[in-house]
Structure formats: structure tokens, C-alpha cells
């Protein structure tokens, strides 16, 4: 998907603006952030967008060249030879931010094919954006981007749309994404989802009008620029629309004003000062390729009253960033920025997020302590199959050394992994998005199945792992099925004559990584999640046949509590099968080895 938000350009060159210009009034909606209470931070406290930079940060080896390129763009795109054009988008090419409740209208947002893509993309988006609460007065960005963001206070879901429109009372979008239980999310969409070309959520990097009014921004701020690096992505971004080859900043790359720069000694406009302080404390992140150098503030169309004329002293935002020289002000210090290295990760200083409430009190999982190597711990238990799922190609390597490889079809890769330094795959929840073994194998009466998973919580469940007679589609035989119910509970079943399944009481569609381990032997069946025993059963065997191990979905027709979808939408990682029932101590050691 080549969706991208174009940054609004300066309306006129600075020299042509002889009189102050007013900003267009908002549509006076009553479901924006100035009308409905919303927390200042809606993502996990571990999100990279909420971390303060340490006093000393490394600089990219080519930082001077990168910053020089950025400054040249600010002069070339609607600036002058002497003045750099840096704007703050507030009425176009930036998302309105709405707060919804469970009393607002419910919509299945459907795809409209604005990019002439295959029907696969429409199916994926339709599955992701069902049952979305959108306020009745919501309007998208009036530009051709048509972006909007909706945060549901009651469910914690964040939905962001690109080229959104309402047709005959129903919402459509060309693309978008959903972060279920956003409070447990870092703010990065799986696969190709999301409304930004970077895959990063717009909400946490967009400046709120209330923050400008308070003179304080406590998060990383997003910046779009005309030239971004081709073929290079910097964490936490997962994709790019960059097209230039040279000394350009990459999508996801961060910049900052040095901590040593005394901003109190520099006379800046109120707008420039607030942004400069955030750039010094939290940093700037490149979010998109756009038409000018522009920060993004929430769109006035989503606010009850438009505060920007007053906040900008009845001037255009780029004039405020250039400063009012008649008042002795200096321009925003764009040339003082320092580019941080690619994939720079700010140390997490915020406390761990509070777990989402569940209908039952969960068991307390064992504390995790760093270990030398997760993969070595798995291999020490002698798996018969071990797929790390970190390939960027279509083949799956077997890390067990037994040569039981596989193949990926229509899965997103590389997705962020469950294990630090490793990647995973994301499946789209349909019959074309699978990982399967290349060759048939047999599974004995005693065995262990293990996989890390992260569910997106769309409420349709799906099969994570199964032993199927067919590599793809539905075979006549299906067994050893690990699947998620619509409500997020996890089940495992075998079919020694008839389907027998055990089910957890806790829900795991919370957007967090979990390790599921199932053992079966003459002692019965045990389901562990995060090394905690969550369900047990008396079944001691499964159907005996030769089949294929599969990830991402399969036949669930005979199983109890069947979910709406037989295919799983979410992330999968570190899949292993063992020829014996692992003891609880080994499962615990493996979970701890994640670190």
C-alpha cells in the first residue's frame, strides 16, 4: 500500500504575506479532544513515543549532512533564501482526533479501492475495521488525505483511517488500522495496516491544541518532509514511502535539539518555544514524505472551537515558526537539530503499563529474568521442529536441525518479534495467509506444541496452530488445534474419535505477546500461557495420521466454541514441536529466557 499523508505547503512565500491571515473556523464538532475527556497518553507507558531522551544521545555518523539536507528543503519548499519554511498543519493534511464511547453509532468500516489494489487488501481491511464506534458528528480531514483518528474511551481501541468518507450513512476508508487495547500497544500497526506511510500511529505524534495552549508537549512530535530516504526504515517505523537516494532522513529516524542548548536564552515565539522544548526533551520523528517541512497538530475540523488563530497570534503557523522579527524573536532553530542514529531506541523510563482488566483473576506468571539466549533454551529441550519465523523470504528454516522446513504465503514479514532482536510474521486472518510445512510428518501420542502469539482483539478469534491433512484450505482431517475464541480465550483440542477441547478462563486478545504451550501424554492435556497452567483435560491422545503443521488457520468445523473466523489475524513467532510432554519447569525456563 502506498498510502501517504501529504504535508500542507506554506500558503504563500513569506515575502508575499503582507497582512495577517486568519485560520479557517472549525466545524464545531462535540466529540473531539476539547469536548470529551481523554487521557494525555493512550498507549502503553513503554511506547517509544512517550520516552524522554537522556541528557546525552549519540549522533548519526552523517548527522551534519542530514540536518543540512533538512534545512535545504525548508528553504526550497515555500521558504526564501534567508528564511526556512517550517509549518504546523492544523486544517489540512493532518488528522482530526475524536473520542468515542460505546453509546456512539456502530459501523463496519468498509474498504473503497482508491488505489486499484487487489481485492485481498479490501478483505483484510474489512476484517480489521468491523464494529467501530464513530461519533455521529465526526468528519475527516477536508484535504484529499481524508485522515481521521478515533479513540474509544470505553474499549481502549484506537482506529485510524486514510481517505475516509461517509457514503449513504456508512463509513468507508481506502486504508487504515486498528490498535485493540491501545493501552497495551507501543503504537505501531501490524503488517501493512495504519493510515500513515510509516506504519506508526498518528495519534501519539500529533500535537494537540490543548498542548500548545498549555505550552507543554510530553511526547515525541511528528514531522513530514519532502525528501526521505529510499529503501531505509528506522525503528519504530515498519515501512517507508521514501524515494530519494542521498543524504536524506529515513522514515522513523529521530532528531533532537541538544540538551545543552539553552532555550531560555533564545527568544522564540510561543509556538516555536513549545515545539522546541518538546524537540529537546522527547525528540522529533520523521513520519511521512510530504509537500513541505511540517509538524502535525490535530485538525481543527474535529474541535468544538478553533483555538489556532489565538495560539498563532493571528498569523500563519510558518510565520510564527519564522518568528516576528519586529519583536526581536528568533526563528525555530532548525539548524541546531542533531540526527540520531537509525533505529535509536530511547531507554524506557516510564513504569510498566497496568494490565487490562479481565473477567477472572489471572494466575500470576513467573517473573522474567534476562537469560543468555532464548533459542538455545528451546534447542536444549530437543524440539523435532523449530521455526523462528524470522525469514524475509517465503521459505521457513527449521532451527532444530531436523530439516522440517516450511513456506509462507501472503503473510507480512518481518513484523516485530516476541524475542528482542528477532522478527516474526503477521497473518491476515484469511485462507491465503498461512505458514505450512513442506512435507508430511507424524506426531506421536506424547508431544508438546508451543508458539508465541499476539492477537489484535477484533473479536473473531481464529486458529493459531493445527496439524492438518492438507497444506492449505480445509482438509478432511484436522487435529491438535490451538485456537482463540471470539472473546479472546484460548482453547486446545484433539480428536481421538470426537473433538475434545480445554479452554482458558482468561482472555488474551490484548495486543501483547504471550507464549502458549500445550502438552499431551498419558497424564492428560495441559495448556500453559506465559508458563502459567491455565487449563487441563483428561484427553491422552489425538488422531493418528500423517499431516502438515500449519500456522494462521485451518479447519475448526468439529470443534466446540467455534470462533467466527477459522483464520487468525495477528502475529506469530517461535513455533516449536517437541516429541515429548515438556515438564512445567522446562516451560518456565523457556518463558524466563525471553528476558
Amino acid at each position: 500500500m502506498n498510502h501517504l499523508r501529504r504535508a500542507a505547503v506554506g500558503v504563500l512565500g513569506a515575502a508575499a504575506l503582507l497582512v495577517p491571515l486568519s485560520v479557517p473556523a472549525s466545524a464545531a464538532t462535540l466529540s473531539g479532544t476539547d469536548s470529551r475527556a481523554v487521557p494525555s497518553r493512550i498507549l502503553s507507558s513503554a511506547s517509544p513515543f512517550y520516552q524522554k531522551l537522556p541528557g546525552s544521545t549519540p549522533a548519526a555518523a552523517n548527522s551534519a549532512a542530514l540536518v543540512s539536507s533538512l534545512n535545504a528543503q525548508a528553504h526550497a519548499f515555500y521558504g526564501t533564501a534567508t528564511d526556512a519554511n517550517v509549518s504546523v498543519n492544523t486544517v489540512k493534511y493532518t488528522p482530526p482526533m475524536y473520542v468515542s464511547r460505546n453509546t456512539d453509532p456502530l459501523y463496519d468500516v468498509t474498504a473503497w479501492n482508491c488505489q486499484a489494489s487487489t481485492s485481498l487488501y479490501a478483505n483484510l481491511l474489512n476484517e480489521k475495521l468491523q464494529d467501530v464506534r464513530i461519533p455521529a458528528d465526526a468528519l475527516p480531514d477536508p484535504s484529499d488525505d481524508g485522515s481521521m483518528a478515533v479513540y474509544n474511551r470505553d474499549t481502549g481501541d484506537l482506529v485510524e483511517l486514510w481517505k475516509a468518507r461517509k457514503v449513504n450513512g456508512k463509513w468507508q476508508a481506502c486504508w487504515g488500522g486498528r490498535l485493540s487495547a491501545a493501552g497495551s500497544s507501543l503504537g505501531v500497526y501490524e503488517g501493512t495496516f495504519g493510515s500513515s506511510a510509516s506504519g506508526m500511529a498518528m495519534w501519539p505524534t500529533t500535537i494537540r491544541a490543548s498542548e500548545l495552549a498549555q505550552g507543554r508537549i510530553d511526547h515525541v512530535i511528528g514531522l513530514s518532509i519532502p525528501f526521505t530516504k529510499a529503501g531505509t526504515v528506522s525503528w519504530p517505523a515498519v515501512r517507508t514511502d521514501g524515494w530519494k537516494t542521498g543524504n536524506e532522513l529515513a522514515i522513523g529516524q529521530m532528531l533532537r535539539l541538544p540538551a545543552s542548548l539553552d532555550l531560555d536564552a533564545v527568544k522564540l515565539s510561543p509556538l516555536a518555544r513549545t515545539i522546541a522544548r518538546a524537540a529537546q526533551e522527547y525528540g522529533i520523528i520523521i513520519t511521512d514524505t510530504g509537500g513541505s517541512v511540517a509538524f502535525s497538530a490535530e485538525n481543527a475540523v474535529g474541535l468544538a472551537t478553533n483555538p489556532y488563530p489565538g495560539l498563532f497570534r493571528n498569523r500563519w503557523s510558518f510565520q510564527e515558526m519564522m518568528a516576528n522579527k519586529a519583536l526581536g524573536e528568533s526563528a525555530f532553530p532548525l539548524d541546531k537539530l542533531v540526527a540520531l542514529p537509525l533505529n535509536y531506541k530511547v531507554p524506557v523510563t516510564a513504569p510498566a503499563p497496568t494490565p487490562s482488566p479481565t473477567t477472572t483473576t489471572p494466575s500470576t506468571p513467573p517473573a522474567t529474568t534476562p537469560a543468555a539466549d532464548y533459542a538455545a533454551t528451546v534447542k536444549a529441550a530437543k524440539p523435532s521442529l523449530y521455526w523462528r519465523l524470522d525469514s524475509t523470504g517465503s521459505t521457513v528454516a527449521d532451527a532444530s536441525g531436523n530439516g522440517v522446513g516450511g513456506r509462507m504465503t501472503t503473510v507480512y514479514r518481518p513484523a516485530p518479534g516476541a524475542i528482542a532482536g528477532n522478527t516474526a510474521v503477521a497473518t491476515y486472518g484469511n485462507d491465503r495467509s498461512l505458514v505450512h510445512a513442506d512435507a508430511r510428518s507424524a506426531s506421536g501420542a506424547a508431544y508438546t506444541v508451543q508458539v508465541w502469539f499476539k492477537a489484535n482483539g477484533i473479536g473473531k478469534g481464529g486458529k493459531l496452530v493445527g496439524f492438518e491433512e492438507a497444506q492449505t484450505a480445509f482438509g478432511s482431517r484436522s487435529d491438535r488445534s490451538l485456537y482463540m475464541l471470539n472473546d479472546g480465550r484460548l482453547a486446545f483440542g484433539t480428536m481421538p474419535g470426537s473433538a475434545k477441547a480445554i479452554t482458558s478462563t482468561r482472555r488474551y486478545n490484548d495486543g501483547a505477546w504471550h507464549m502458549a504451550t500445550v502438552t499431551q501424554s498419558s497424564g492428560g492435556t495441559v495448556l500453559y500461557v506465559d508458563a502459567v497452567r491455565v487449563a487441563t483435560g483428561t484427553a491422552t491422545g489425538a488422531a493418528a495420521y500423517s499431516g502438515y503443521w500449519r500456522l494462521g488457520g485451518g479447519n475448526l468445523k468439529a470443534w466446540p466454541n467455534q470462533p467466527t473466523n477459522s483464520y487468525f489475524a495477528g502475529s506469530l513467532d517461535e513455533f516449536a514441536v517437541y516429541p515429548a510432554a515438556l515438564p512445567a519447569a522446562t516451560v518456565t525456563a523457556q518463558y524466563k529466557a525471553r528476558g
Side-chain angles (χ1 to χ4, degrees), residues 23 32 52 58 70 123 141 164 175 193 209 216 302-303 343 354 394 417 421 428 441 448 509 523:
V23 181
K52 271 193 173 184
L70 174 62
N123 293 338
D141 165 22
W175 201 242
F193 291 109
R216 181 77 190 176
L303 298 172
N343 302 311
T354 302
S394 61
Y428 295 124
S441 61
T448 299
N509 56 349

Side-chain angles (χ1 to χ4, degrees), residues 180-181 184-186 190 453-457 508-514:
S180 296
S184 300
S185 170
L186 296 183
E190 295 285 349
F453 69 93
K454 182 166 64 171
N456 61 17
Y508 298 99
N509 56 349
D510 54 6
W513 279 109
H514 297 286

Side-chain angles (χ1 to χ4, degrees), residues 12-358:
L12 294 171
L17 287 171
L18 303 178
V19 295
L21 299 175
S22 62
V23 181
S26 75
T29 52
L30 298 176
S31 56
T33 61
D34 63 339
S35 299
R36 293 183 171 180
V38 65
S40 60
R41 297 180 173 188
I42 65 169
L43 302 177
S44 163
S45 58
S47 170
F49 307 117
Y50 297 155
Q51 308 309 315
K52 271 193 173 184
L53 292 164
S56 177
T57 49
N62 60 338
S63 173
L66 293 171
V67 174
S68 176
S69 171
L70 174 62
N71 275 269
Q73 294 173 57
H75 284 276
F77 287 82
Y78 308 97
T80 68
T82 57
D83 294 315
N85 180 77
V86 181
S87 61
V88 181
N89 291 337
T90 61
V91 295
K92 286 187 176 182
Y93 301 101
T94 193
M97 299 164 70
Y98 297 103
V99 182
S100 69
R101 307 303 297 259
N102 281 348
T103 53
D104 285 318
L106 187 66
Y107 298 92
D108 288 342
V109 181
T110 57
W112 68 280
N113 199 355
C114 70
Q115 293 185 311
S117 302
T118 65
S119 59
L120 169 64
Y121 289 107
N123 293 338
L124 296 176
L125 191 66
N126 292 343
E127 292 169 0
K128 180 71 70 171
L129 298 180
Q130 295 190 23
D131 299 335
V132 180
R133 299 282 181 179
I134 301 179
D137 60 0
L139 295 169
D141 165 22
S143 76
D144 56 7
D145 267 7
S147 62
M148 61 187 289
V150 183
Y151 174 69
N152 188 321
R153 274 295 306 268
D154 294 328
T155 65
D157 285 7
L158 173 65
V159 171
E160 295 185 334
L161 306 175
W162 180 67
K163 288 191 178 294
R165 65 186 188 183
K166 201 171 185 180
V167 179
N168 296 325
K170 297 180 180 180
W171 277 101
Q172 301 176 343
C174 185
W175 201 242
R178 183 182 204 144
L179 294 177
S180 296
S184 300
S185 170
L186 296 183
V188 180
Y189 291 94
E190 295 285 349
T192 60
F193 291 109
S195 58
S196 166
S198 67
M200 299 182 294
M202 297 185 297
W203 188 290
T205 63
T206 300
I207 300 169
R208 294 191 197 178
S210 60
E211 293 171 332
L212 294 178
Q214 295 163 5
R216 181 77 190 176
I217 302 170
D218 285 317
H219 57 80
V220 174
I221 48 178
L223 181 71
S224 57
I225 59 177
F227 300 152
T228 51
K229 187 78 169 178
T232 303
V233 178
S234 182
W235 184 91
V238 294
R239 57 182 185 270
T240 181
D241 60 351
W243 59 280
K244 288 282 286 184
T245 55
N247 288 314
E248 286 82 35
L249 290 154
I251 294 289
Q253 192 161 10
M254 290 187 63
L255 305 103
R256 77 169 304 181
L257 288 174
S260 59
L261 178 63
D262 185 2
L263 291 177
D264 293 331
V266 182
K267 188 174 183 180
L268 301 172
S269 71
L271 174 66
R273 175 173 296 280
T274 300
I275 292 176
R277 185 68 67 187
Q280 187 175 62
E281 294 183 351
Y282 290 90
I284 296 167
I285 191 165
I286 304 301
T287 55
D288 250 324
T289 306
S292 69
V293 177
F295 293 101
S296 183
E298 64 181 316
N299 200 303
V301 75
L303 298 172
T305 57
N306 186 352
Y308 293 118
L311 293 172
F312 298 167
R313 301 185 297 186
N314 288 316
R315 290 153 49 93
W316 289 101
S317 64
F318 73 87
Q319 291 179 303
E320 287 294 272
M321 296 297 279
M322 284 180 185
N324 188 335
K325 293 181 174 58
L327 299 178
E329 294 172 349
S330 299
F332 178 81
L334 195 69
D335 59 337
K336 298 293 194 300
L337 289 170
V338 175
L340 304 187
L342 291 172
N343 302 311
Y344 176 76
K345 296 188 178 183
V346 184
V348 177
T349 56
T354 302
S356 300
T358 59

Side-chain angles (χ1 to χ4, degrees), residues 509-528:
N509 56 349
D510 54 6
W513 279 109
H514 297 286
M515 185 181 83
T517 307
V518 183
T519 66
Q520 189 173 64
S521 67
S522 59
T525 308
V526 181
L527 170 61
Y528 302 89

